[in-house]
């Protein structure tokens, strides 16, 4: 499950977005039992929650989830912001192998002056199997500001670099990945397309067009090439450059591969390429439009807008890999999507007075997917 549960502080700071709501439904004392009821009802093995307010997390959210059999990991936003992201998983289903928080704020890089974060866990299913696989679960809440696509893309690249480092296996492939969160970008936008297609040529792209949240391109700057400075230590392939990850335990074979990547990065820098890439094969759990009507699905709704910004992306199995002997090993295998919880249309939500309401206590809807992991 991926769910932006709406931090109470943010709700109160942006009260103009909730003028359509009756006051009582906006109180945390009313909202939290509702949110907990939803989590209990859907009973997911893994929860990726956004806008988890720190004081509520410590006092109520974590204890309540622990009593339901979840182990919780939390990363607060930097800069004294009140909320962060949590990944919670059932003790009975998974062992925790590693916790990898990612801070997108960098004091030494003027572009990265925002306090968003990501969290990446490596989990191992508890199954009676000698070679039990691992799964990489990532959760993030990217910057909202529709006009700052340059920051959003850089934050995404930082998250992908961390996922690449965590999910990398000894044979050079990646373990299955589930990447959840509020990406503050709409379906079909350049940022969304980059996640799904693994490449983006951003030459001439206006920074306000990256997330697709606003249509006007009045006086917008074009993305610079490269978007982020070299001292970030992340290549245009969205992996850490060699000096960023001095992993002592790497074998000679691994090191050679990393050295090759470094050489490639240097060449790219000389050409000042406007091509971004990543090496995952990611699909979206949702199709974003209802097949019968073509009406858009909605994941968030308040007084200003009703759009999709929340996603569950996952490593899709590649069909017919045998036909392409040259296909990268990194793209083989993955997760089989079995089912998903339906989303709603804007019209559906208007009939219940939008979000939040008496039954749904966030301005986002929960996303839910059921996967089969091939052993």
């Amino acid at each position: 499950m991926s769910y932006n549960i709406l931090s109470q502080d943010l709700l109160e700071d942006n009260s103009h977005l909730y003028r359509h709501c009756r006051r009582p439904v906006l109180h945390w004392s009313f909202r939290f039992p509702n949110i907990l009821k939803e989590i209990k009802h859907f009973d997911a093995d893994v929860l990726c929650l956004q806008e988890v307010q720190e004081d509520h997390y410590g006092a109520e959210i974590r204890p309540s989830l622990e009593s339901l059999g979840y182990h919780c990991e939390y990363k607060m936003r930097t800069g004294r912001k009140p909320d962060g992201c949590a990944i919670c998983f059932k003790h009975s289903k998974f062992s925790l192998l590693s916790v990898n928080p990612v801070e997108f704020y960098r004091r030494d890089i003027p572009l990265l002056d925002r306090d968003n974060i990501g969290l990446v866990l490596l989990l191992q299913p508890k199954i009676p199997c000698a070679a039990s696989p691992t799964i990489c679960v990532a959760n993030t809440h990217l910057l909202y500001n529709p006009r700052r696509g340059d920051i959003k893309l850089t934050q995404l690249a930082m998250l992908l670099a961390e996922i690449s480092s965590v999910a990398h296996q000894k044979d050079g492939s990646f373990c299955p990945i589930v990447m959840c969160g509020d990406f503050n970008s709409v379906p079909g936008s350049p940022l969304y397309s980059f996640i799904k297609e693994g490449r983006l040529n951003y030459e001439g792209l206006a920074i306000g067009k990256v997330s697709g949240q606003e249509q006007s391109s009045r006086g917008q700057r074009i993305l610079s090439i490269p978007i982020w400075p070299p001292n970030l230590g992340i290549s245009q392939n969205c992996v850490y450059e060699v000096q960023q990850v001095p992993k002592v335990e790497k074998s000679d074979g691994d090191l050679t591969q990393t050295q090759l990547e470094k050489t490639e990065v240097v060449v790219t820098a000389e050409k000042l390429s406007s091509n971004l890439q990543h090496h995952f094969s990611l699909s979206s759990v949702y199709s974003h439009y209802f097949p019968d009507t073509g009406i858009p699905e909605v994941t968030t709704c308040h007084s200003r807008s009703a759009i999709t910004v929340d996603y569950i992306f996952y490593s899709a199995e590649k069909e017919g890999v045998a036909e392409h002997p040259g296909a990268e090993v990194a793209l083989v295998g993955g997760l089989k999507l079995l089912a998903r919880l339906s989303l709603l249309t804007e019209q559906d939500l208007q009939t219940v007075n939008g979000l939040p309401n008496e039954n749904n206590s966030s301005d986002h809807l929960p996303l839910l997917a059921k996967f089969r992991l091939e052993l």
Side-chain angles (χ1 to χ4, degrees):
M1 176 194 258
S2 183
Y3 196 7
N4 179 329
I5 62 171
L6 179 57
S7 144
Q8 191 66 24
D9 280 7
L10 293 175
L11 182 157
E12 286 163 14
D13 288 349
N14 297 280
S15 55
H16 61 284
L17 298 177
Y18 309 103
R19 289 192 184 124
H20 60 286
C21 302
R22 295 194 312 110
R23 282 303 309 167
V25 309
L26 296 178
H27 294 149
W28 179 247
S29 58
F30 178 87
R31 292 177 55 231
F32 179 60
N34 257 359
I35 290 165
L36 193 61
K37 192 166 76 176
E38 277 187 290
I39 289 171
K40 264 185 183 167
H41 172 72
F42 290 123
D43 195 32
D45 294 330
V46 181
L47 308 174
C48 288
L49 306 176
Q50 305 89 39
E51 289 196 26
V52 179
Q53 195 165 304
E54 190 203 23
D55 54 350
H56 292 153
Y57 174 73
E60 294 168 273
I61 299 171
R62 182 177 180 168
S64 300
L65 292 178
E66 285 179 344
S67 73
L68 295 175
Y70 288 98
H71 172 93
C72 301
E73 293 291 339
Y74 178 71
K75 173 62 183 165
M76 193 177 174
R77 283 199 290 159
T78 50
R80 297 186 180 169
K81 295 293 190 292
D83 65 295
C85 292
I87 302 179
C88 313
F89 60 89
K90 288 199 176 164
H91 275 298
S92 58
K93 298 287 180 78
F94 297 98
S95 304
L96 178 63
L97 299 185
S98 71
V99 181
N100 311 273
V102 190
E103 295 186 353
F104 300 143
Y105 175 87
R106 285 280 295 264
R107 197 182 318 170
D108 56 331
I109 298 176
L111 171 72
L112 293 172
D113 61 351
R114 307 303 160 98
D115 295 302
N116 308 82
I117 54 91
L119 184 60
V120 185
L121 301 192
L122 193 61
L123 302 177
Q124 189 164 39
K126 289 183 173 175
I127 47 174
C129 167
S132 179
T134 53
I135 303 174
C136 178
V137 178
N139 185 18
T140 194
H141 188 174
L142 299 185
L143 177 70
Y144 165 71
N145 189 335
R147 294 180 300 282
R148 292 309 302 269
D150 50 347
I151 299 177
K152 294 184 203 232
L153 272 176
T154 307
Q155 290 180 345
L156 175 63
M158 294 169 80
L159 182 70
L160 290 169
E162 187 63 32
I163 292 170
S164 187
S165 170
V166 171
H168 195 261
Q169 300 184 119
K170 288 194 174 94
D171 65 357
S173 68
F174 296 105
C175 71
I177 294 155
V178 180
M179 182 170 77
C180 300
D182 180 340
F183 289 82
N184 272 314
S185 302
V186 303
S189 65
L191 187 140
Y192 170 89
S193 300
F194 173 50
I195 292 172
K196 280 194 71 176
E197 291 162 22
R199 58 192 66 243
L200 173 66
N201 183 352
Y202 58 85
E203 187 175 3
L205 182 61
I207 65 171
K209 293 285 188 191
V210 167
S211 63
Q213 292 160 297
E214 61 172 36
Q215 301 313 310
S216 156
S217 55
R218 61 190 189 286
Q220 282 186 0
R221 286 193 294 116
I222 301 299
L223 285 169
S224 60
I225 304 175
I227 301 172
W228 56 82
N231 63 325
L232 181 59
I234 290 174
S235 77
Q236 298 281 294
N237 290 339
C238 299
V239 294
Y240 291 124
E241 292 181 70
V242 163
Q243 61 273 29
Q244 287 297 110
V245 278
K247 292 249 171 87
V248 182
E249 71 273 18
K250 286 203 165 195
S251 70
D252 292 345
D254 284 343
L255 203 60
T256 315
Q257 179 57 43
T258 321
Q259 296 287 11
L260 287 173
E261 283 174 8
K262 188 183 183 188
T263 317
E264 187 187 347
V265 171
V266 173
V267 174
T268 312
E270 283 170 7
K271 287 187 203 157
L272 284 178
S273 166
S274 57
N275 289 304
L276 283 186
Q277 290 182 48
H278 67 76
H279 296 301
F280 309 122
S281 172
L282 297 173
S283 291
S284 171
V285 160
Y286 289 89
S287 52
H288 316 306
Y289 297 90
F290 288 91
D292 305 342
T293 59
I295 294 171
E297 296 172 334
V298 163
T299 68
T300 180
C301 174
H302 48 61
S303 297
R304 287 273 175 88
S305 68
I307 53 172
T308 284
V309 293
D310 306 278
Y311 303 94
I312 300 176
F313 295 105
Y314 68 101
S315 301
E317 291 181 306
K318 280 290 166 194
E319 303 293 329
V321 169
E323 295 166 27
H324 309 286
E328 281 185 63
V329 75
L331 302 182
V332 182
L335 296 160
K336 176 88 172 163
L337 178 64
L338 300 180
R340 65 187 176 207
L341 177 69
S342 295
L343 288 168
L344 300 172
T345 66
E346 181 173 3
Q347 201 171 2
D348 293 332
L349 288 168
Q350 282 171 356
T351 63
V352 290
N353 198 36
L355 296 173
N357 57 49
E358 275 72 8
N359 298 303
N360 309 89
S361 284
S362 173
D363 57 352
H364 291 247
L365 293 170
L367 279 60
L368 202 72
K370 188 176 186 177
F371 298 108
R372 183 172 69 218
L373 176 65
E374 301 290 350
L375 299 178

